[in-house]
């Protein structure tokens, strides 16, 4: 009986403070997940996933696109937010209501009642793709949190501190997990280890990650 209860407990939605201001909302987006994946398909029909090139001249292993008023872009000139997709010259697709509602309600759960994102970066990882340790510093106001939503294959997330050489902890981010990164953790170094081979029943051979940001005031 005890085993049964601890197993049921483990499946319940739960929240964990990973660091000051960083709240992991386990499976928070699970019920929404298939609809979110459908929205990603629609967005990527209008603004296809692409491998952006860093200022150093390397093509990123993660494929990216955006929705919302602003989209994050990388090219030989640097990293920044743009109103238009540089591939098409058109505005980024509108942020779906379902995305906005999820991001706002997750931020509220974590103590950020005023968060209204105006950018959503969509990352697509296929097996082998990774994101090296970095800080997110291209936004205007670091008092706004970032909300991330993981979909599809699980990934190992590395979470360090304010200094690149700070020790990192590892967390597995699963389908439906939402994390709100605010307070001191907003500027902590983080990354994703190379995605392991696998096939997810809803997302196929991929992991998608949505990051909701207040890019510009
Ligand atoms: C911690 N994305 O797009 S999401 C990114 O899974 C990015 O695709 C990863 O890092 C991904 O910039 C990680 C988790 C995440 C997102 C933003 C953060 C963690 C963060 C900002 C500050 C601290
Ligand atoms: Fe990041």
């Amino acid at each position: 009986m005890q085993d049964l209860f601890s197993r049921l407990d483990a499946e319940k939605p739960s929240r964990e403070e990973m660091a000051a201001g960083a709240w992991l909302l386990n499976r928070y987006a699970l019920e929404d997940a298939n609809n979110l994946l459908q929205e990603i398909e629609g967005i990527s029909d209008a603004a296809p996933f692409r491998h952006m090139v860093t200022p150093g001249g390397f093509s990123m292993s993660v494929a990216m696109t955006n929705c919302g008023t602003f989209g994050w872009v990388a090219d030989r000139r640097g990293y920044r937010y743009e109103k238009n997709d540089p591939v098409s010259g058109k505005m980024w697709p509108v942020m779906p209501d379902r995305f906005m509602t999820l991001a706002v309600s997750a931020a509220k759960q974590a103590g950020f009642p005023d968060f209204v994102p105006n950018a959503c970066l969509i990352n697509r990882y296929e097996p082998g793709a990774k994101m090296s340790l970095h800080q997110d510093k291209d936004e205007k106001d670091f008092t706004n949190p970032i909300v991330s939503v993981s979909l599809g294959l699980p990934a190992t997330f590395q979470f360090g501190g304010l200094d690149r050489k700070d020790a990192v902890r590892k967390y597995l981010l699963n389908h439906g997990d939402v994390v709100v990164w605010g307070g001191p953790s907003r500027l902590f170094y983080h990354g994703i280890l190379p995605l392991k081979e696998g096939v997810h029943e809803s997302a196929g051979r991929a992991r998608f990650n949505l990051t909701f940001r207040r890019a510009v005031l």
Side-chain angles (χ1 to χ4, degrees):
M1 215 27 124
Q2 181 59 271
D3 276 356
L4 177 58
F5 281 121
S6 32
R7 274 204 39 237
L8 289 169
D9 252 357
E11 305 290 346
K12 263 199 317 196
S14 64
R15 51 208 57 190
E16 175 189 354
E17 194 169 23
M18 301 162 71
W23 286 94
L24 171 56
L25 310 179
N26 279 117
R27 307 282 181 177
Y28 190 77
L30 196 53
E31 287 190 354
D32 241 6
N34 286 342
N35 291 316
L36 297 171
L37 287 165
Q38 273 209 320
E39 300 278 17
I40 292 170
E41 265 196 40
I43 290 163
S44 66
D45 289 341
F49 283 102
R50 77 292 305 265
H51 294 274
M52 297 185 188
V53 175
T54 65
F58 296 99
S59 178
M60 300 177 78
S61 60
V62 178
M64 298 174 166
T65 186
N66 291 278
C67 64
T69 307
F70 298 94
W72 186 86
V73 300
D75 61 20
R76 292 308 301 249
R77 305 191 333 243
Y79 305 114
R80 63 196 175 277
Y81 286 93
E82 294 274 13
K83 285 197 145 191
N84 296 82
D85 177 351
V87 170
S88 65
K90 295 185 298 187
M91 288 190 293
W92 295 105
V94 170
M95 191 186 296
D97 288 343
R98 188 186 296 284
F99 280 26
M100 178 64 80
T101 301
L102 173 63
V104 164
S105 94
K108 210 160 267 152
Q109 291 295 316
F112 298 92
D114 302 325
F115 181 59
V116 182
N118 54 18
C120 176
L121 172 63
I122 307 173
N123 294 149
R124 186 189 67 201
Y125 296 75
E126 285 172 341
K130 64 181 172 66
M131 193 174 285
S132 305
L133 215 58
H134 68 278
Q135 291 174 295
D136 287 30
K137 292 197 299 188
D138 301 321
E139 301 74 30
K140 194 112 217 132
D141 176 1
F142 302 138
T143 68
N144 282 129
I146 290 178
V147 175
S148 77
V149 180
S150 293
L151 298 168
L153 291 174
T156 304
F157 174 73
Q158 293 182 297
F159 196 30
L162 273 180
D163 204 312
R164 182 183 284 283
K165 62 178 169 37
D166 288 341
V168 297
R169 286 197 288 176
K170 291 180 189 178
Y171 293 86
L172 198 63
L173 292 180
N174 289 299
H175 181 64
D177 286 348
V178 176
V179 192
V180 182
W181 313 91
S185 79
R186 174 65 182 74
L187 289 170
F188 283 10
Y189 276 89
H190 58 278
I192 294 283
L193 294 183
L195 196 76
K196 287 189 195 142
E197 194 58 71
V199 179
H200 187 272
E201 62 171 350
S202 302
R205 195 170 163 271
R207 169 179 186 261
F208 295 91
N209 182 80
L210 310 175
T211 50
F212 295 92
R213 302 142 185 276
R214 184 87 193 162
V216 178
L217 292 176

